[in-house]
Amino acid sequence: MLGLYSTPIERATAGLVRNFDLEPSHARRICELDLATEHYPSGAEIGAADEPPYLKWILDGWACEARELADGRRQIFSFVLPGDLVRPPQIPGARIVRALTAVQCVDVGDMLAHGGVGETTLEALHRATAEAHARKYEHLSRLAWRSALSRMASLLVELHDRLDSVGLTRGREFALPLRHEELADALGLSAVHVTRCLGVLRTRGLMTLQFRRVSGFDRAGLQELCEG
Amino acid sequence: MLGLYSTPIERATAGLVRNFDLEPSHARRICELDLATEHYPSGAEIGAADEPPYLKWILDGWACEARELADGRRQIFSFVLPGDLVRPPQIPGARIVRALTAVQCVDVGDMLAHGGVGETTLEALHRATAEAHARKYEHLSRLAWRSALSRMASLLVELHDRLDSVGLTRGREFALPLRHEELADALGLSAVHVTRCLGVLRTRGLMTLQFRRVSGFDRAGLQELCEG
DNA sequence: CGGTCGTTTGAAGTGGTTCAAGCCTTGTGG
DNA sequence: CCACAAGGCTTGAACCACTTCAAACGACCG
């Protein structure tokens, strides 16, 4: 298992190997490429400067897929983590991808042009996109009839599992660089209520979120809450 | 414009022509094929008897894409209308497609094997699936931070527009064969509150739902409500 | 060290739920 | 064709989860 000290590209390829059947030998070859990485500062819109059919592969940092309204309200559709892919929106303006921390990524088009990246890698990336799509159904049922506590638990379990698959957890701890407001925008709650929910989880001993890190993460206990 | 007395296949192809750039000549050719249609009674699971990579094209009737829980609760992810496509779920059990009325459809695989259906038709069907996917984002933001009245208005406008594009509206009227419970399962509300919302829309003169039909549909007025 | 932004806590308000009863449709069998 | 039963719709009243507003506290950054 990958520790915290591997490089971003190693973690991202490890995710493809673990979840999407990429051959380890292909993964190694990708890591050895001298890929030109793109860097976005926190708050930047990813892909804003690119021509539409771009495809970005996130190596490091967090972003979100969201709709932002004129009045300042925002709906976060999903969080984008290392190892994930970003596609342009079909309908311009319907949805944007915004970096929530500093983000490092590669352009998949560039990577393919670079050579040495086979068809099988592209297939693994395809399966990754399909899974991201399937997660939208999960998110839909989160928002629909579950209580605030259950929504929160379910999102945290999802994020934990996704981070774990790219080697970004360390036992019961992991970095969660989201403000309460961002969790609120994703879960359809007010930021104040997010605070209260996190407080309940803490007093129940299920997890503690402090200083942008989660500790004491009790996956089984949180999973139980998800049903409610 | 197509009237109410055209056939199901004419309406479905008309939707492809109107929204997804299918050539009218191709549409006519499809209508002339002697297609074997499948029939599902209300309540049946569509595709339950088929091998996974099936693709069904709905010609008549209503269905829904949903997750059904052991305790009887259900989340409806989307409604499936004439002209829409049904794909098998990637993860079995995560989601099913259930007929809400009697449904008539064709298997796209059969239709292609039949000959006379070109590449361009397949592309149009592809664009239709992409749009159905984009609607999930719309539904996500409906559920997230909008009031019950706004959710309801937004769903009704969507259904009206989709029905209109396949010639299933007649002025300010259209058939809406959904029970309050089904609207509730889609909007994340209780059936009782759906009744109340519909009551408000009626007293405001925006629309009346009675006997499975909508009348006096005021699209502009409902559209205004969607923002709130 | 002071300012800013994010978090925490409290109190009051509200939109939607739940429970319960009555009504109206629709379907069924005599 | 009518009588009855079953299921969906409607309405009212009580309750609760989450929101909003407001004020204080704490971390981080110049």
Side-chain angles (χ1 to χ4, degrees):
Chain A
M1 153 132 186
L2 284 166
L4 281 172
Y5 302 108
S6 53
T7 64
I9 185 92
E10 281 167 4
R11 289 193 292 265
T13 53
L16 290 184
V17 171
R18 178 174 305 193
N19 299 319
F20 305 110
D21 306 325
L22 182 67
E23 286 284 325
S25 61
H26 285 83
R28 238 173 293 122
R29 205 168 319 146
I30 294 169
C31 293
E32 284 159 8
L33 293 174
D34 185 29
L35 292 169
T37 59
E38 300 175 357
H39 294 263
Y40 293 89
S42 170
E45 189 184 334
I46 295 178
D50 294 77
E51 287 302 309
Y54 63 83
L55 190 56
K56 306 288 184 187
W57 191 25
I58 308 293
L59 300 183
D60 202 24
W62 286 55
C64 70
E65 219 184 342
R67 174 173 303 174
E68 296 174 353
L69 282 86
D71 62 4
R73 284 186 301 184
R74 170 175 63 171
Q75 172 56 33
I76 293 182
F77 297 123
S78 71
F79 291 110
V80 180
L81 272 49
D84 287 343
L85 289 158
V86 171
R87 279 182 186 288
Q90 294 99 326
I91 304 146
R95 145 196 158 233
I96 63 161
V97 177
R98 192 171 289 289
L100 298 172
T101 68
V103 164
Q104 182 190 343
C105 64
V106 295
D107 190 288
V108 175
D110 282 359
M111 186 169 86
L112 293 175
H114 205 282
V117 176
E119 192 64 22
T120 63
T121 306
L122 203 56
E123 276 168 27
L125 292 174
H126 237 89
R127 282 192 286 273
T129 331
E131 187 178 279
H133 179 202
R135 272 199 297 267
K136 299 253 147 48
Y137 288 93
E138 207 53 55
H139 196 51
L140 266 170
S141 54
R142 249 201 292 273
L143 290 178
W145 40 257
R146 277 146 108 169
S147 71
L149 213 55
S150 160
R151 288 182 209 187
M152 178 66 80
S154 149
L155 177 61
L156 287 167
V157 168
E158 179 197 306
L159 293 175
H160 167 269
D161 291 356
R162 289 169 63 193
L163 289 169
D164 196 44
S165 79
V166 289
L168 284 173
T169 60
R170 196 178 177 91
R172 292 161 159 271
E173 285 197 25
F174 56 92
L176 191 92
L178 300 177
R179 288 173 299 149
H180 291 189
E181 195 189 334
E182 277 141 10
L183 289 167
D185 288 343
L187 295 173
L189 299 171
S190 64
V192 172
H193 203 58
V194 165
T195 303
R196 288 190 228 274
C197 288
L198 291 172
V200 172
L201 296 182
R202 193 186 315 127
T203 58
R204 291 200 196 172
L206 293 170
M207 55 141 274
T208 303
L209 172 57
Q210 210 176 16
F211 310 135
R212 319 251 138 145
R213 283 195 74 74
V214 168
S215 56
F217 190 79
D218 176 359
R219 192 187 182 287
L222 288 164
Q223 184 80 61
E224 247 176 75
L225 261 187
C226 294
E227 317 299 322
Chain B
M1 158 138 184
L2 283 166
L4 281 170
Y5 302 107
S6 51
T7 66
I9 185 90
E10 282 167 2
R11 289 193 292 264
T13 52
L16 291 183
V17 170
R18 179 175 305 191
N19 299 317
F20 306 110
D21 306 327
L22 182 69
E23 287 284 324
S25 61
H26 285 83
R28 238 173 292 123
R29 205 167 320 142
I30 294 170
C31 293
E32 284 158 10
L33 293 173
D34 185 28
L35 292 169
T37 58
E38 301 176 355
H39 294 262
Y40 293 90
S42 171
E45 189 184 334
I46 295 178
D50 295 78
E51 289 303 308
Y54 63 82
L55 189 56
K56 306 287 185 190
W57 190 26
I58 308 294
L59 300 183
D60 201 22
W62 285 55
C64 71
E65 219 185 341
R67 174 173 302 173
E68 295 174 354
L69 282 86
D71 61 3
R73 282 186 301 184
R74 169 174 66 170
Q75 171 57 33
I76 294 182
F77 297 123
S78 71
F79 291 110
V80 180
L81 272 48
D84 288 342
L85 288 158
V86 171
R87 283 183 182 287
Q90 294 99 328
I91 305 147
R95 149 196 153 232
I96 63 164
V97 177
R98 192 170 289 289
L100 298 173
T101 67
V103 163
Q104 180 190 345
C105 64
V106 296
D107 189 287
V108 175
D110 283 358
M111 185 169 86
L112 293 175
H114 205 282
V117 175
E119 190 66 22
T120 62
T121 305
L122 204 56
E123 275 168 26
L125 292 174
H126 237 88
R127 281 192 285 274
T129 331
E131 186 177 280
H133 178 202
R135 272 198 298 265
K136 299 248 150 47
Y137 287 93
E138 207 53 55
H139 196 51
L140 265 170
S141 54
R142 249 201 292 271
L143 289 178
W145 40 257
R146 274 146 110 170
S147 72
L149 213 55
S150 159
R151 288 182 208 188
M152 179 65 80
S154 149
L155 177 61
L156 287 167
V157 168
E158 180 197 307
L159 293 175
H160 167 269
D161 290 357
R162 289 168 63 194
L163 289 170
D164 196 44
S165 79
V166 288
L168 283 173
T169 59
R170 194 177 177 90
R172 291 160 160 270
E173 285 197 26
F174 56 94
L176 190 91
L178 301 176
R179 288 173 301 148
H180 291 189
E181 196 189 335
E182 277 141 10
L183 289 167
D185 288 343
L187 296 174
L189 298 171
S190 64
V192 173
H193 203 59
V194 165
T195 303
R196 288 191 227 274
C197 286
L198 291 172
V200 171
L201 295 182
R202 194 186 317 125
T203 58
R204 291 200 196 172
L206 293 169
M207 55 142 274
T208 303
L209 172 57
Q210 212 176 16
F211 311 134
R212 318 250 140 148
R213 285 196 70 76
V214 168
S215 56
F217 190 79
D218 176 359
R219 192 186 181 287
L222 289 164
Q223 184 80 61
E224 246 175 74
L225 260 186
C226 294
E227 317 298 324

